Every structure is written in C-alpha cells, then in structure tokens.
Amino acid sequence: MNTSASPSDRADDALPWSERIAQWVTEHPWTVVLAATVAAALSIFVSLRHLTLDANTDSLISPDRPFMVRYREFLDEFGDLEGLTIAVDPRGDDAAAKRAVDALVSELSAFPGIPHAVGRIDPSEQWRLAPWSMPSAQLQDLLRARSAFPTLLHAPKDAEAVCALEQARNLLAATVAEGVTASRDAQESRVASALLLLDAVCPPPSSESLAAPRAPEYLRSDGGSMLFVQIQPQKDFSSLATIEPLLREVRGVIARVHKAEPTVEIGLTGKPVLQADELATSNADTSRGTAIAALIVVGLLIAVFRSVLRPMLAALALGLTFACTYGVATVLVGRLNLLSLVFMLVLVSAGIDYGIHALAHHADWRGRVRPSLAPRSAMAGGLVPIWVGAATSAAVFYLALMTDFGGLRELGIIAGSGLLICALMMTVVLPAMLTLAARAGMDRTLREEASPLERVGRTAVTPAMHGPTARGVLLAALLLCAVSAALLPKVAFESNLLKLQAEGLESIEWEHRILADSTSASWFGAIICADEACVDRVRLLAASEPTIERTLSIRDVMLPATSERARLRGELAAACAAEPTPCAAATDDGGTALQREGAAALASLERLQTLGRLGGSADQMAPLRERSDRLRILDSALKQPALAGEAARRAQENAQRAAHALREMAEGAAASQREALPRALRDRLVSTRGTYLVSLLPKEDIWEPVPLAAFTAALTRIDAHATGVPFTVHESLIDMRRAFVTMALWSLGSIAALVWIDLRSIRATLVTIGMLLLGMLWTFGCMGAAGASLNLANFFGVPMLLGLGVDGAVHILHRAREGGDPLAWMWTRRAVILSALTTAAGFGTLLFASHRGLQSLGWLILVGSICTLLSCVVVLPALLCVAPDLAGRRQPPLEGGSGGGAGGATPSS
C-alpha cells in the first residue's frame, strides 16, 4: 500500500481550502455528526408541528394568475361543485335503475362525510318550484280559486275530502242563490274555487291536477340512457387520502345495491374519483418500485464497494438529508403539495449518486493511504466535483422560480435546497462517519478480489482508446445525433390526463361511457351573472358557438322573475295563509258524510248548469259537465257497500295530495328564488348571495387539448370573465409547457456558468455542455423512435437527467486533468457507471407500474440514464483521446503520488 502522499501529509499552511475543510472534519468527526443529528432532530420537530400537506390540485397553480383569480372567485361564490357521480345504466330495466338510485341515495345520505347526495327531484320539490316555473296565466287561473285554499290547507286530519266537498257545495249553492245580483268576477271566482275543491277529491286524468300523483324526476344523462346520483363529499386536503376512505364506503354501497339489482350496471366517476384513483395507483406503483429499487441499489453498492457498513452509512446520511429538507421546506414554503412531494424521489436519486462518488473516492484512497486517512483524502478530492454537480442540479430546480406554475416553483425551492443539503451530508457528514468507523476498526472490506462490475469497469471503453477506435466512436456518435435529430419532431407533449391513468380503472371507463352518451362530463365552463338579463345574454351567445353543446342555468327551470310574477306569488302565499271556513261535516261519520256532501255538490253543480250562470257557451259548460261526470262515478261507488270503502279511501288520499301540493306551492311562493329550487339544482344555479351561474357544456371531448383550447376560446368570446375547470387545466398546461422550455433554456446557461467556475476553461465547459446535449438528444431521439411523449408525469425527469449528465462529465474531466495510467481511472468510471445504473434501476422499476404516467417517467429516466452514461464514459473519453487539450489545464500530481489530486478530483471524482 502506498502511503507516501496524500492531502493529509502536507503542511497545514500549504493546504488548499478543500483540504483544510477535510482536515477539520476528520479531526472533529463527533462534532460534525452530532451537529447533523441535532439539525435533523430540530427539522423533524419543526416540520411535524408546522409543515402542512395540501392535496388540493388547485394549489399547484399560482393564485395570482388571472385565470386562477377568476376561478377562486367562482369557488368563493358557488363553492366546490366538483363532486362524485354514480352512473346507473338501466340496460333495458328502467324500474330497476330507479330502485337502485333510490337505494343509493338512501344509504349514502346517512354517511356523515356526505352532506349532499341526490338522484332525483321529488314531487314536493316540483310543487315548490311551480310558482316560479308555471306561466303567469296559470298562476292567475289558480288564484281565481283562492277561496278553496284555506279549506284544503286547514281541514281537520282525515276529513280533507268531506270538507272539500262541503265547501264546494256551499260555493256552488251561493252562486246559484245569488243569481244575477253578484258580479261576474265573484261568480267566476266561486265556481273556480268549487271546481278546484271537486278536482281535489275527484281529480281528472291529467297530471296537472293538484291531486294527481306525481312521479319523481330522476337525474338523467342528455341521451337519457343513464341515471345519475350526484354526491358532494367533504374533502380533507390535509391528507393524501382526500376522499379515499369515503370512496371505499361509497363503493361498498354500490356493491350492495348492485347485488340487489343485478340487471343494471353501476359505476363511480367524477374528477375527485379520477384524482383519488390516480393517486392510489401511483402510490402503490411507487411503493412497490421503491422497495424493489432499494434492494437492487443496496445489492449493487455492497457488491461494488465490498462493504456493508459504507453503503449503510451513506443511507444514514441520506436519511439526515430527508429530515433537514423537511425542516427547510417548513421554513421556506410551509407546505407540501402533490407536486413538491416528489422531492423525495429527487433526493433518493441524487443522494445515491453523491454518495456513490463519495464512497468511490474513499475506496480509491483506501488503496493508497492508511485506512484512517482515507476519509480525509477522499473528502478533499471529492468536495469540488460533487458540489459542482449538486450546484448545477440545484440551479436547474431553482430556475423553476422563473416560471408561472406555482406547484413547480415550490418543488424547485424544496428539491433545490434538498440537493444542496444532500451534497453537504455526503461530502462532510459521511466522511465524518467513515472516520469514526475507521477509528473503531469497523470499516472492513468483505473480499479482496474484484467484483464482476469492477472487472467490467477495467475492460470498458476508456480514455486510453487511440486513433481509429476513438475516431470511429465519434463518427458513430455523430450518426446517432443525425438520426435522433430526425426523430425529434415525433416527440409530443401529451396533455390528455386520462391517457396517463392506469388502464382498466373503473372511474375512467365510466367517464368515457358518459362522454359517449352525452355531454354530461366532469368539466363545464362557468359564467357568473349578476342578474337574469345577463343569463339570457349568455344563453343567446352560447347558442351561436359550435363548440358548446348546451347550457344549464336558472332559465331551464324558472321563468323570468318580473314584478308581476312576484305580485302573483305574493298573492298565492297570502291566500294560503287565510283563515279557513269551519267544516261542519268533519264531525259526521266519514263514509255517510262523504256520500251526502258529494251528492249535494253534484246537485248544486247540475243546478248551476241548468241555470247557465256562466253564459251557457259549450266551452264554459264543459268543465261543469266533466266534474258532474266524475262526481256521479264517486256517488255511485259510495252507494255500493263493496266499493264504498275503497272509493272513500281514494277520495281522501286525493284530497290529501292536493292539500300537500298546495302547501308546497305556498312555501315555494314565499321562499327566495334559491330556496325554491330543487336541492339537486340549487347550488349549480344560484349562489347564497343571489348571483346566477350559467354552466356551459362542451360538444366534444375536452380531455383532448385541441377541443379544450377551442372550448375555452369560445367561453372567453362569450364573457371575458368566464372560468371553470377547463380554464384551470388549459392554462396550467400552457404554464407547464412554458415552464419546461424556460427551465431547459436557463438550465443550460446556469450549468455552463457553474461548470466554467469549476473548470476555469471555456473549452472544457463547452465539452461538458456538449456531452450533456448529446445525451439529451439521444434520449429524445429514442423517445421519438418509440412513439413516447413528454407529459405531466415525466416532464420533471428532464432536470434530473440534466444533473446526471453534467455530473458524469464533470467527474470524467476532473479525472482526465490528473492524467496518469488510464487504469487508475477505474474508480471514476466505476462511480459514473454505478450512478447511472442505480438511477436506471431505481426508476426502471416504474416500467412495471400500472399508472401510464409513471411508466413514461421510468422509461424516460432509464433511457436517459443510459444515453447520458454513454456520452460520458464512451464519447467523452474518445473525444479527449483525439483532442486531449479539451480537458483544460492539467492538475499537478501530488508529491510522490500516482495521480491523486489535492484540492481537485481524485480518480473517484
């Protein structure tokens, strides 16, 4: 073992700054380790108390963006309308589908986490809506019969029918008795009231009668083939499982209802469901991939470094990095969002790389100096190149601050800071721990013979290649560049979020089924109107836009709110509140009294027809004859003992239904416009402040980017303040694509500047950037050849590849400057190769993920790692063989050494 020359053998006053830091760290290892431990403990304490999790996807977007300001104003006015949708496909059995909807609503309404679950508009809600939706002429006709209202509404229980007949008989008798002395309006009012009372007991076949049974109106798709249950859940954005526990309960209810109604199909979808399913599949995929990758990486590290302790110490340093990064995230940002959560993935990849290079330095120096001095020598040699790699990678993430996408900016702050912390842990704390291990005699090598990976490292293409071989490598690289450049136009940006989800998910399949049936999709455009005139204007403009299928607004269920209609509703409410006329027949025997009062009412009605008090025209006499016919049928049934009971029961039920309908109409007339609306529509039409919402539904599938852009453009033409989920998705996609380009361009500039500061050579800097661009060009060429695309799941892998590519090139150039026997480069090449392999293995496991977005991320990192690795360990050595001066100035070897670098990189740099 050569122990004649190491940084630790020099005089202190001649040591470069990196060696002086290394000397202090290795002389005070307990101080360093304890300081790191205390910092990690404080970070954990602070983060547990103050760091919050925000799982709201809206929080990924900068709140000051104009489209987001409008959307938050919409949420403040109307609340969160993104709910769960249960779709029921009758498959020919509409009755079973309705029973399924009723059962679903009944069970779900009992859940504390579901304040709002509706599947139909009940008859009571229909009657409350009637004063606002029925034409003014019908309201006026109803008010002519106002004298009947108190009797219907206030009759004694179970005496509604007999009291209605008694009051009808009195009104008809009064009309006959007064003769021509009463005004025509008074006569018509009494007759209208009498006829209303008679209709309450013997309703006509028409469903417009107050006593006629009304069926619930079920929520249906535009095509009519599906029934819906709309659920508005309580969302807990402080947990990743925002609605996941609730979804399990809802799916359990669906399973039970489907078992009871097997002839129908029932599915669950909606934006919150799609997001929850995506999060669940991605979490399962990443957890499985992380476990597999950890085993592969640990195995590689133990095999290469022939030690269990050293990789474990590197893992411990990585754990301290995680803890401190959480503390920094708490101080600088204060929360984690769905995008910034991936900083763990970034740190694992980068932390392993920095740890590999630090351990490679250590392994190399163990063969050249005393084991107790190896940590100090390794730290001195690896400090600069590792920090250059960390600084360039961190700079790439910090450049996210220059973008408009809020979630990416927060990720940039946390990941960039975490990378610097990781470099600190691997270049300072890890050497301190290795020093303690060496002092305790714990740092032992498992075996002396070379591992298979080491033998591959010795025989791999090296900077020792000469002449034709090097030129052949460069020519092949140029040919690959030409092919990759030709394939670049085939690389697109996939914006359809459904195409990133796992195949076969129930929520996605039902979303597609709903889209195929109608425009009843998860997304809609929203325009807020201050008055109904604005609603009418928006509806008119929307009808001229070809990308808009239809609108949903207050005008779909209510007529314009005029002063005349308000007066009529007021009169209706007042008339219903009037004092009733005493009902003498209520105290008599029910069946006998009903038959007696019915016969008396029939006699008065026939007398009125005979006298022709209403003018005698056929049209005027027809209503009287119709009531007479129905009263005769009732009278005949009541006179037959076998039919009397059933006839009396039906008459009583009819009267009670009429009273209930009139009572609901009175409530609706007295209620505000919003409260008169059915619960299923209320929140989507009128806010609690009285503003109106016009929802605009697209004609095409706006999950696709082109129809989405056309739809949002149409909304903007209608109203410059239009908003809704289509805007947030469309604009955020634009922001993310712009952020991607901005970060890529600025990253190259910042990387070039940092590399030049390190290497102090324009030629060496250009070589480094050239190798980086070469690897990225090959990567995108492979993507084009495979038909792969960039998307919202894999785009942040590009900054990671930039950091990996420049890191490998910097280490090779540092080692090239030291010169020496090319075999002495073994640990440098080995470290670069191992870094790429661990990154490829870590992300390559995602190729088996069910989430297609994560699959694309794994594919990108795997291919990118290999491409950047080839550019660093194959093309760069060949280029340096042909033009050695491109590496810049060479570092003088240490006195008596064989290629070590004081203050610069060692063979493991």
Side-chain angles (χ1 to χ4, degrees), residues 160-172:
E160 290 89 351
V162 68
C163 289
L165 290 176
E166 180 191 77
Q167 180 65 7
R169 183 251 302 169
N170 293 335
L171 289 170
L172 292 172

Side-chain angles (χ1 to χ4, degrees), residues 46-55 237-238 329-330 333-337 340-341:
V46 171
S47 61
L48 288 176
R49 289 180 61 87
H50 302 290
L51 185 64
T52 61
L53 175 63
D54 188 352
F237 291 119
S238 64
T330 304
V333 179
R335 68 175 183 180
L336 293 176
N337 59 48
S340 61
L341 276 172

Side-chain angles (χ1 to χ4, degrees), residues 353 393 772 799-809 832 835-836 839 861 864-866 868-869 872:
D353 289 346
S393 297
L772 175 62
M800 297 175 64
L801 289 177
L802 291 175
L804 177 65
V806 73
D807 189 52
V832 173
S835 294
T839 301
I861 299 296
S865 299
I866 296 172
T868 53
L869 172 64
C872 291

Side-chain angles (χ1 to χ4, degrees), residues 562-579:
T562 63
S563 57
E564 171 65 13
R565 292 184 59 80
R567 180 186 65 79
L568 292 174
R569 289 193 302 273
E571 291 182 9
L572 176 61
C576 290
E579 289 295 325

Side-chain angles (χ1 to χ4, degrees), residues 325 328 343 346-347 390-391 393-398 410-422:
T325 303
V328 170
F343 85 89
V346 175
L347 292 187
S393 297
V396 171
F397 281 99
Y398 280 138
E410 293 182 12
L411 171 63
I413 294 172
I414 297 172
S417 302
L419 288 172
L420 296 180
I421 294 172
C422 190

